[in-house]
Amino acid sequence: MAERLSFPLRLELRGAPSRTMTYLSPVIAIVATLLLGALLFLALGKDPLAGLKVFLIDPFNGKRAISELLLKSVPLILCALGLAVCFRASIWNIGAEGQFTVGALCSGAMLVWLDVPGHGVSGGMGLVLMIVAGVIGGALWAAITAFLRDQFNANEILVSLMLTYVAQLLLMWAVNGPLKDPNGMNFPQSKVFSSEFMLPMLISGTRLHIGFAVAIVAAVLMAIFMMRSLRGFSLMVGGVAPHAARYAGFSARSALWVSLLISGAFAGLAGAFEIAGPIGQLLPSVSPGYGFAAIIVAFIGRLHPIGAILGGLIMSLLYLGGELAQSRLGLPSAITGVFQGMLLFLLLACDTLIDYRLAWNKKV
């Protein structure tokens, strides 16, 4: 009988999850992503060092470059904050992209309505109304998922994901219909909003707007909410130990609605900031996939609000590095998605070592 081949290493269940690997796993995944990225550049006939320089160093080359890095992180951080709440409560919201899109659509519709001669609304009030519209739009879109899960026990993963495509179709209809710029030469877009309805800049001479400061403050407030409040504690307990949560009197239904509404509101806020910030109008391509990328951001940050800031900056670095790789190295736009995909899979692989350890197989 032929001998069965065996690997020299095996996965062995730990007695308790490793706190060291919980925080070390993202670091290992990021380093492994860069090493595989270097091999990818080599396979494409590019200098690996030049490729890594484009991704790791060039985005920090000067004030303007750093400001673009921070700007790109705003929607990623905001979406990740809401997703972290959902994931901690074991509510798997995969539809932040759709909630982001609806938030941008509602904010854009509000600005199109307000930004007309003689309307009499100040820029500051217009910004407030625009932000409120985006937050409500994102929350209501997430509420559809909460309602279907609550009333019909529908799978929130499928529902939230499918609603993303519905949201994109709604946006496409709006910019080709009621929100279309009559002077836009038939392009599917709204008019460019007046400067008074744009977000104030944080650093003069750059595009970095006040949304970055809002994202940092929001992360701190969410950290307090999740780690120091009874409601946040109930969400965390419900996700880790649902039976214990019920015994303590915490409502699973309440956790479902609260977590999804918070997540949708943050994604909608991110959409509002995007159309009143770097874009300045409503376009079909309002998001390059921020809502999906924020899932990786949330897990890189270990589902902690402060960690979402670091995760958002890392993912922003990949976005900017991918754009620079296209212009300077002649690589396709898919390079950004490849790096994001490698980071996600390597992070999932490294996370296995939180509950398991590598052990040598003993020879018999």
Side-chain angles (χ1 to χ4, degrees):
M1 182 181 296
E3 293 185 3
R4 186 176 63 180
L5 295 176
S6 62
F7 292 100
L9 292 171
R10 72 178 190 279
L11 289 175
E12 182 179 86
L13 185 65
R14 297 179 186 269
S18 171
R19 288 183 60 87
T20 301
M21 280 306 304
T22 298
Y23 298 103
L24 194 58
S25 173
V27 178
I28 297 174
I30 291 169
V31 172
T33 300
L34 295 177
L35 292 176
L36 287 179
L39 294 177
L40 176 62
F41 288 131
L42 191 62
L44 293 173
K46 306 296 182 181
D47 182 358
L49 294 180
L52 292 179
K53 175 179 177 293
V54 165
F55 269 85
L56 299 178
I57 298 177
D58 289 353
F60 296 98
N61 187 18
K63 181 180 74 171
R64 184 173 180 80
I66 294 175
S67 69
E68 288 295 314
L69 177 69
L70 300 180
L71 175 66
K72 206 78 167 178
S73 70
V74 173
L76 295 168
I77 294 171
L78 289 174
C79 289
L81 289 177
L83 290 176
V85 175
C86 277
F87 295 161
R88 278 186 175 272
S90 291
I91 306 297
W92 301 104
N93 176 22
I94 310 299
E97 180 77 2
Q99 294 143 27
F100 177 101
T101 301
V102 172
L105 175 58
C106 292
S107 299
M110 178 63 72
L111 288 182
V112 168
W113 179 60
L114 293 175
D115 192 8
V116 293
H119 201 285
V121 177
S122 65
M125 179 56 68
L127 283 176
V128 171
L129 293 175
M130 178 273 300
I131 290 172
V132 170
V135 168
I136 292 176
L140 288 179
W141 202 249
I144 299 175
T145 301
F147 175 78
L148 293 176
R149 164 70 185 272
D150 183 25
Q151 295 298 316
F152 304 103
N153 198 31
N155 186 297
E156 72 272 18
I157 297 176
L158 295 177
V159 172
S160 61
L161 180 59
M162 293 299 102
L163 282 173
T164 295
Y165 302 104
V166 177
Q168 292 170 348
L169 291 173
L170 279 175
L171 175 61
M172 184 63 72
W173 165 79
V175 296
N176 280 282
L179 301 182
K180 188 175 182 179
D181 182 7
N183 301 316
M185 301 181 68
N186 208 33
F187 285 102
Q189 61 188 29
S190 73
K191 67 176 182 178
V192 177
F193 305 126
S194 301
S195 58
E196 62 178 319
F197 294 110
M198 295 292 97
L199 294 170
M201 296 297 109
L202 276 181
I203 303 176
S204 61
T206 70
R207 299 195 304 161
L208 182 63
H209 55 69
I210 198 172
F212 180 74
V214 173
I216 300 301
V217 172
V220 174
L221 293 177
M222 287 305 296
I224 296 173
F225 169 75
M226 293 174 66
M227 309 301 171
R228 292 290 183 264
S229 71
L230 179 61
R231 171 61 71 181
F233 177 73
S234 68
L235 293 176
M236 293 174 61
V237 172
V240 176
H243 296 294
R246 284 195 296 269
Y247 182 78
F250 300 148
S251 170
R253 185 183 186 189
S254 175
L256 168 70
W257 279 94
V258 169
S259 59
L260 275 171
L261 288 177
I262 289 176
S263 184
F266 271 115
L269 178 62
F273 282 173
E274 198 68 9
I275 62 113
I279 297 180
Q281 63 181 146
L282 202 55
L283 299 172
S285 56
V286 69
S287 169
Y290 290 135
F292 294 125
I295 298 173
I296 308 175
V297 171
F299 281 103
I300 290 176
R302 305 287 79 181
L303 303 183
H304 192 287
I306 305 302
I309 298 174
L310 178 60
L313 293 173
I314 292 172
M315 191 59 64
S316 176
L317 191 66
L318 293 183
Y319 270 112
L320 290 181
E323 293 173 2
L324 292 173
Q326 294 175 55
S327 60
R328 299 182 182 180
L329 301 178
L331 294 177
S333 60
I335 191 69
T336 301
V338 170
F339 267 83
Q340 290 178 356
M342 287 194 299
L343 179 57
L344 174 61
F345 283 108
L346 288 169
L347 181 62
L348 292 174
C350 292
D351 278 354
T352 304
L353 299 178
I354 297 174
D355 295 309
Y356 293 85
R357 64 166 61 91
L358 291 174
W360 291 101
N361 275 322
K362 297 179 180 179
K363 292 183 180 180
V364 179

Short mmCIF file of all heavy atoms in Angstrom, two decimals, residues 22-71:
data_model
loop_
_atom_site.label_atom_id
_atom_site.label_comp_id
_atom_site.label_asym_id
_atom_site.label_seq_id
_atom_site.Cartn_x
_atom_site.Cartn_y
_atom_site.Cartn_z
N THR A 22 -3.93 38.53 17.23
CA THR A 22 -5.04 39.42 16.87
C THR A 22 -4.53 40.73 16.30
O THR A 22 -5.07 41.25 15.32
CB THR A 22 -5.91 39.69 18.11
OG1 THR A 22 -6.48 38.46 18.58
CG2 THR A 22 -7.04 40.66 17.77
N TYR A 23 -3.47 41.27 16.89
CA TYR A 23 -2.92 42.54 16.44
C TYR A 23 -1.77 42.36 15.45
O TYR A 23 -1.47 43.27 14.67
CB TYR A 23 -2.46 43.37 17.64
CG TYR A 23 -3.60 43.72 18.57
CD1 TYR A 23 -3.79 43.03 19.77
CD2 TYR A 23 -4.52 44.71 18.23
CE1 TYR A 23 -4.85 43.34 20.60
CE2 TYR A 23 -5.57 45.02 19.06
CZ TYR A 23 -5.74 44.34 20.24
OH TYR A 23 -6.80 44.64 21.07
N LEU A 24 -1.11 41.20 15.49
CA LEU A 24 0.01 40.97 14.59
C LEU A 24 -0.45 40.50 13.22
O LEU A 24 0.25 40.71 12.22
CB LEU A 24 0.94 39.91 15.21
CG LEU A 24 2.34 39.76 14.60
CD1 LEU A 24 3.09 41.09 14.66
CD2 LEU A 24 3.11 38.66 15.33
N SER A 25 -1.63 39.90 13.16
CA SER A 25 -2.14 39.36 11.89
C SER A 25 -2.21 40.41 10.78
O SER A 25 -1.74 40.15 9.65
CB SER A 25 -3.51 38.72 12.12
OG SER A 25 -4.10 38.34 10.90
N PRO A 26 -2.78 41.61 11.01
CA PRO A 26 -2.79 42.60 9.91
C PRO A 26 -1.40 43.01 9.45
O PRO A 26 -1.18 43.26 8.27
CB PRO A 26 -3.54 43.79 10.53
CG PRO A 26 -4.31 43.24 11.68
CD PRO A 26 -3.48 42.11 12.20
N VAL A 27 -0.45 43.08 10.40
CA VAL A 27 0.92 43.46 10.04
C VAL A 27 1.54 42.41 9.13
O VAL A 27 2.15 42.74 8.09
CB VAL A 27 1.77 43.64 11.31
CG1 VAL A 27 3.21 43.99 10.94
CG2 VAL A 27 1.18 44.73 12.21
N ILE A 28 1.36 41.14 9.49
CA ILE A 28 1.90 40.06 8.66
C ILE A 28 1.25 40.08 7.28
O ILE A 28 1.91 39.91 6.25
CB ILE A 28 1.68 38.70 9.35
CG1 ILE A 28 2.43 38.63 10.68
CG2 ILE A 28 2.11 37.56 8.44
CD1 ILE A 28 2.15 37.37 11.48
N ALA A 29 -0.07 40.29 7.25
CA ALA A 29 -0.80 40.31 5.98
C ALA A 29 -0.32 41.45 5.08
O ALA A 29 -0.16 41.28 3.86
CB ALA A 29 -2.30 40.43 6.24
N ILE A 30 -0.07 42.62 5.65
CA ILE A 30 0.39 43.77 4.87
C ILE A 30 1.78 43.51 4.31
O ILE A 30 2.05 43.77 3.12
CB ILE A 30 0.38 45.04 5.74
CG1 ILE A 30 -1.06 45.44 6.07
CG2 ILE A 30 1.09 46.19 5.03
CD1 ILE A 30 -1.16 46.51 7.13
N VAL A 31 2.68 42.98 5.15
CA VAL A 31 4.04 42.68 4.69
C VAL A 31 4.01 41.62 3.59
O VAL A 31 4.70 41.75 2.55
CB VAL A 31 4.91 42.22 5.87
CG1 VAL A 31 6.27 41.73 5.37
CG2 VAL A 31 5.10 43.35 6.87
N ALA A 32 3.19 40.58 3.78
CA ALA A 32 3.09 39.53 2.77
C ALA A 32 2.51 40.07 1.46
O ALA A 32 2.93 39.67 0.37
CB ALA A 32 2.23 38.38 3.29
N THR A 33 1.56 41.00 1.57
CA THR A 33 0.99 41.62 0.37
C THR A 33 2.05 42.38 -0.41
O THR A 33 2.11 42.31 -1.65
CB THR A 33 -0.16 42.57 0.76
OG1 THR A 33 -1.18 41.83 1.43
CG2 THR A 33 -0.74 43.25 -0.47
N LEU A 34 2.91 43.09 0.29
CA LEU A 34 3.97 43.85 -0.38
C LEU A 34 4.97 42.92 -1.04
O LEU A 34 5.45 43.18 -2.15
CB LEU A 34 4.66 44.76 0.63
CG LEU A 34 3.80 45.88 1.23
CD1 LEU A 34 4.59 46.66 2.26
CD2 LEU A 34 3.29 46.81 0.13
N LEU A 35 5.31 41.82 -0.38
CA LEU A 35 6.25 40.86 -0.97
C LEU A 35 5.66 40.22 -2.21
O LEU A 35 6.35 40.08 -3.25
CB LEU A 35 6.61 39.79 0.06
CG LEU A 35 7.43 40.27 1.27
CD1 LEU A 35 7.64 39.13 2.26
CD2 LEU A 35 8.77 40.84 0.82
N LEU A 36 4.38 39.83 -2.14
CA LEU A 36 3.74 39.26 -3.33
C LEU A 36 3.59 40.31 -4.42
O LEU A 36 3.68 40.01 -5.61
CB LEU A 36 2.37 38.68 -2.95
CG LEU A 36 2.38 37.38 -2.15
CD1 LEU A 36 0.96 36.94 -1.84
CD2 LEU A 36 3.11 36.27 -2.91
N GLY A 37 3.38 41.56 -4.00
CA GLY A 37 3.30 42.64 -4.97
C GLY A 37 4.60 42.82 -5.72
O GLY A 37 4.61 43.08 -6.93
N ALA A 38 5.71 42.69 -5.00
CA ALA A 38 7.02 42.79 -5.66
C ALA A 38 7.18 41.68 -6.70
O ALA A 38 7.69 41.92 -7.81
CB ALA A 38 8.12 42.71 -4.61
N LEU A 39 6.74 40.46 -6.35
CA LEU A 39 6.80 39.36 -7.32
C LEU A 39 5.89 39.63 -8.52
O LEU A 39 6.22 39.28 -9.66
CB LEU A 39 6.41 38.05 -6.64
CG LEU A 39 7.37 37.54 -5.56
CD1 LEU A 39 6.81 36.27 -4.91
CD2 LEU A 39 8.75 37.27 -6.14
N LEU A 40 4.74 40.26 -8.24
CA LEU A 40 3.82 40.59 -9.33
C LEU A 40 4.44 41.60 -10.29
O LEU A 40 4.35 41.45 -11.51
CB LEU A 40 2.52 41.15 -8.74
CG LEU A 40 1.47 41.64 -9.74
CD1 LEU A 40 0.99 40.48 -10.62
CD2 LEU A 40 0.28 42.26 -9.01
N PHE A 41 5.10 42.62 -9.75
CA PHE A 41 5.78 43.60 -10.60
C PHE A 41 6.85 42.92 -11.45
O PHE A 41 7.02 43.24 -12.63
CB PHE A 41 6.41 44.70 -9.74
CG PHE A 41 5.41 45.64 -9.13
CD1 PHE A 41 5.48 45.95 -7.79
CD2 PHE A 41 4.41 46.21 -9.90
CE1 PHE A 41 4.56 46.81 -7.21
CE2 PHE A 41 3.49 47.08 -9.34
CZ PHE A 41 3.56 47.38 -8.00
N LEU A 42 7.57 41.99 -10.83
CA LEU A 42 8.62 41.27 -11.55
C LEU A 42 8.03 40.45 -12.69
O LEU A 42 8.57 40.40 -13.80
CB LEU A 42 9.38 40.37 -10.58
CG LEU A 42 10.67 39.73 -11.08
CD1 LEU A 42 11.69 40.80 -11.44
CD2 LEU A 42 11.25 38.78 -10.02
N ALA A 43 6.89 39.79 -12.41
CA ALA A 43 6.24 38.98 -13.45
C ALA A 43 5.72 39.84 -14.59
O ALA A 43 5.64 39.38 -15.74
CB ALA A 43 5.09 38.18 -12.83
N LEU A 44 5.38 41.10 -14.29
CA LEU A 44 4.88 42.00 -15.33
C LEU A 44 6.01 42.73 -16.06
O LEU A 44 5.77 43.59 -16.90
CB LEU A 44 3.94 43.04 -14.71
CG LEU A 44 2.61 42.49 -14.17
CD1 LEU A 44 1.85 43.58 -13.43
CD2 LEU A 44 1.76 41.92 -15.29
N GLY A 45 7.24 42.39 -15.71
CA GLY A 45 8.38 43.01 -16.37
C GLY A 45 8.74 44.38 -15.85
O GLY A 45 9.40 45.16 -16.54
N LYS A 46 8.31 44.70 -14.63
CA LYS A 46 8.61 45.99 -14.03
C LYS A 46 9.62 45.81 -12.90
O LYS A 46 9.73 44.74 -12.31
CB LYS A 46 7.33 46.63 -13.47
CG LYS A 46 6.20 46.76 -14.48
CD LYS A 46 6.56 47.69 -15.63
CE LYS A 46 5.39 47.84 -16.60
NZ LYS A 46 5.72 48.71 -17.74
N ASP A 47 10.34 46.87 -12.61
CA ASP A 47 11.29 46.85 -11.50
C ASP A 47 10.51 46.77 -10.18
O ASP A 47 9.73 47.68 -9.87
CB ASP A 47 12.14 48.12 -11.54
CG ASP A 47 13.20 48.14 -10.45
OD1 ASP A 47 13.25 47.19 -9.64
OD2 ASP A 47 13.96 49.12 -10.38
N PRO A 48 10.69 45.71 -9.38
CA PRO A 48 9.94 45.58 -8.13
C PRO A 48 10.17 46.74 -7.17
O PRO A 48 9.23 47.21 -6.52
CB PRO A 48 10.45 44.26 -7.54
CG PRO A 48 11.02 43.51 -8.70
CD PRO A 48 11.55 44.53 -9.63
N LEU A 49 11.40 47.22 -7.10
CA LEU A 49 11.68 48.33 -6.19
C LEU A 49 10.99 49.60 -6.65
O LEU A 49 10.45 50.36 -5.84
CB LEU A 49 13.20 48.55 -6.09
CG LEU A 49 14.00 47.42 -5.44
CD1 LEU A 49 15.49 47.77 -5.41
CD2 LEU A 49 13.50 47.16 -4.02
N ALA A 50 10.97 49.82 -7.96
CA ALA A 50 10.28 50.99 -8.49
C ALA A 50 8.78 50.88 -8.25
O ALA A 50 8.11 51.86 -7.93
CB ALA A 50 10.56 51.14 -9.98
N GLY A 51 8.25 49.67 -8.39
CA GLY A 51 6.82 49.47 -8.15
C GLY A 51 6.44 49.71 -6.70
O GLY A 51 5.45 50.39 -6.42
N LEU A 52 7.25 49.17 -5.78
CA LEU A 52 6.96 49.38 -4.36
C LEU A 52 7.15 50.83 -3.96
O LEU A 52 6.45 51.35 -3.08
CB LEU A 52 7.85 48.47 -3.51
CG LEU A 52 7.56 46.97 -3.61
CD1 LEU A 52 8.53 46.17 -2.74
CD2 LEU A 52 6.13 46.66 -3.21
N LYS A 53 8.09 51.51 -4.62
CA LYS A 53 8.29 52.93 -4.33
C LYS A 53 7.04 53.74 -4.70
O LYS A 53 6.62 54.64 -3.97
CB LYS A 53 9.50 53.46 -5.11
CG LYS A 53 9.74 54.97 -4.97
CD LYS A 53 10.95 55.39 -5.75
CE LYS A 53 11.16 56.90 -5.68
NZ LYS A 53 10.09 57.65 -6.37
N VAL A 54 6.42 53.37 -5.83
CA VAL A 54 5.20 54.06 -6.27
C VAL A 54 4.08 53.87 -5.25
O VAL A 54 3.30 54.79 -4.98
CB VAL A 54 4.78 53.55 -7.66
CG1 VAL A 54 3.35 53.97 -7.98
CG2 VAL A 54 5.72 54.07 -8.71
N PHE A 55 4.02 52.67 -4.67
CA PHE A 55 2.95 52.38 -3.73
C PHE A 55 3.23 52.90 -2.32
O PHE A 55 2.31 53.32 -1.62
CB PHE A 55 2.71 50.86 -3.66
CG PHE A 55 1.68 50.37 -4.63
CD1 PHE A 55 2.03 50.08 -5.93
CD2 PHE A 55 0.36 50.21 -4.25
CE1 PHE A 55 1.08 49.63 -6.85
CE2 PHE A 55 -0.59 49.76 -5.14
CZ PHE A 55 -0.23 49.48 -6.44
N LEU A 56 4.48 52.89 -1.89
CA LEU A 56 4.79 53.16 -0.49
C LEU A 56 5.39 54.53 -0.22
O LEU A 56 5.22 55.06 0.89
CB LEU A 56 5.76 52.08 0.04
CG LEU A 56 5.26 50.64 0.00
CD1 LEU A 56 6.34 49.71 0.52
CD2 LEU A 56 3.99 50.47 0.81
N ILE A 57 6.08 55.09 -1.18
CA ILE A 57 6.83 56.34 -0.92
C ILE A 57 6.23 57.53 -1.64
O ILE A 57 6.05 58.60 -1.06
CB ILE A 57 8.31 56.15 -1.31
CG1 ILE A 57 8.94 55.05 -0.44
CG2 ILE A 57 9.07 57.47 -1.15
CD1 ILE A 57 10.37 54.73 -0.79
N ASP A 58 5.89 57.37 -2.92
CA ASP A 58 5.41 58.50 -3.71
C ASP A 58 4.14 59.15 -3.13
O ASP A 58 3.99 60.37 -3.24
CB ASP A 58 5.17 58.08 -5.16
CG ASP A 58 6.49 57.82 -5.88
OD1 ASP A 58 7.55 58.11 -5.30
OD2 ASP A 58 6.46 57.32 -7.03
N PRO A 59 3.20 58.38 -2.53
CA PRO A 59 2.02 59.04 -1.95
C PRO A 59 2.34 59.96 -0.77
O PRO A 59 1.46 60.70 -0.32
CB PRO A 59 1.14 57.87 -1.50
CG PRO A 59 1.52 56.75 -2.40
CD PRO A 59 3.00 56.92 -2.60
N PHE A 60 3.58 59.92 -0.26
CA PHE A 60 3.98 60.81 0.84
C PHE A 60 4.91 61.93 0.36
O PHE A 60 5.50 62.63 1.18
CB PHE A 60 4.69 60.00 1.93
CG PHE A 60 3.82 58.98 2.59
CD1 PHE A 60 3.86 57.66 2.19
CD2 PHE A 60 2.94 59.33 3.61
CE1 PHE A 60 3.06 56.70 2.80
CE2 PHE A 60 2.14 58.40 4.22
CZ PHE A 60 2.19 57.07 3.81
N ASN A 61 5.02 62.08 -0.96
CA ASN A 61 5.98 63.03 -1.53
C ASN A 61 5.39 64.44 -1.58
O ASN A 61 4.90 64.90 -2.61
CB ASN A 61 6.39 62.56 -2.93
CG ASN A 61 7.51 63.40 -3.50
OD1 ASN A 61 8.21 64.09 -2.76
ND2 ASN A 61 7.68 63.32 -4.81
N GLY A 62 5.42 65.13 -0.45
CA GLY A 62 4.97 66.52 -0.41
C GLY A 62 3.62 66.70 0.25
O GLY A 62 2.87 65.75 0.47
N LYS A 63 3.29 67.96 0.53
CA LYS A 63 2.05 68.30 1.22
C LYS A 63 0.83 67.89 0.42
O LYS A 63 -0.13 67.34 0.96
CB LYS A 63 2.01 69.81 1.51
CG LYS A 63 0.76 70.26 2.26
CD LYS A 63 0.76 71.75 2.51
CE LYS A 63 0.46 72.54 1.25
NZ LYS A 63 0.25 73.99 1.54
N ARG A 64 0.86 68.16 -0.87
CA ARG A 64 -0.30 67.84 -1.70
C ARG A 64 -0.53 66.33 -1.77
O ARG A 64 -1.68 65.87 -1.70
CB ARG A 64 -0.12 68.42 -3.09
CG ARG A 64 -1.33 68.21 -3.98
CD ARG A 64 -1.20 68.93 -5.31
NE ARG A 64 -2.37 68.72 -6.15
CZ ARG A 64 -3.52 69.37 -6.02
NH1 ARG A 64 -3.65 70.27 -5.07
NH2 ARG A 64 -4.53 69.13 -6.83
N ALA A 65 0.54 65.57 -1.90
CA ALA A 65 0.40 64.11 -1.97
C ALA A 65 -0.16 63.56 -0.67
O ALA A 65 -1.07 62.70 -0.67
CB ALA A 65 1.75 63.48 -2.28
N ILE A 66 0.33 64.05 0.46
CA ILE A 66 -0.17 63.58 1.76
C ILE A 66 -1.63 63.98 1.94
O ILE A 66 -2.45 63.20 2.47
CB ILE A 66 0.70 64.15 2.90
CG1 ILE A 66 2.11 63.58 2.81
CG2 ILE A 66 0.08 63.84 4.26
CD1 ILE A 66 3.08 64.17 3.81
N SER A 67 -1.98 65.19 1.50
CA SER A 67 -3.37 65.62 1.63
C SER A 67 -4.30 64.73 0.80
O SER A 67 -5.43 64.44 1.21
CB SER A 67 -3.50 67.09 1.20
OG SER A 67 -3.31 67.23 -0.20
N GLU A 68 -3.84 64.28 -0.37
CA GLU A 68 -4.65 63.38 -1.19
C GLU A 68 -4.82 62.03 -0.50
O GLU A 68 -5.88 61.39 -0.59
CB GLU A 68 -4.01 63.20 -2.56
CG GLU A 68 -4.11 64.41 -3.46
CD GLU A 68 -5.54 64.73 -3.85
OE1 GLU A 68 -6.29 63.80 -4.21
OE2 GLU A 68 -5.93 65.91 -3.77
N LEU A 69 -3.77 61.58 0.19
CA LEU A 69 -3.85 60.33 0.94
C LEU A 69 -4.90 60.44 2.03
O LEU A 69 -5.73 59.53 2.21
CB LEU A 69 -2.48 60.01 1.54
CG LEU A 69 -2.39 58.77 2.43
CD1 LEU A 69 -2.56 57.51 1.62
CD2 LEU A 69 -1.08 58.72 3.19
N LEU A 70 -4.88 61.54 2.77
CA LEU A 70 -5.85 61.74 3.85
C LEU A 70 -7.26 61.89 3.28
O LEU A 70 -8.23 61.39 3.85
CB LEU A 70 -5.47 62.97 4.67
CG LEU A 70 -4.10 62.93 5.36
CD1 LEU A 70 -3.87 64.21 6.15
CD2 LEU A 70 -3.98 61.73 6.28
N LEU A 71 -7.37 62.60 2.16
CA LEU A 71 -8.67 62.80 1.53
C LEU A 71 -9.29 61.47 1.11
O LEU A 71 -10.49 61.23 1.32
CB LEU A 71 -8.51 63.71 0.31
CG LEU A 71 -9.75 63.93 -0.56
CD1 LEU A 71 -10.81 64.70 0.22
CD2 LEU A 71 -9.38 64.66 -1.84
#
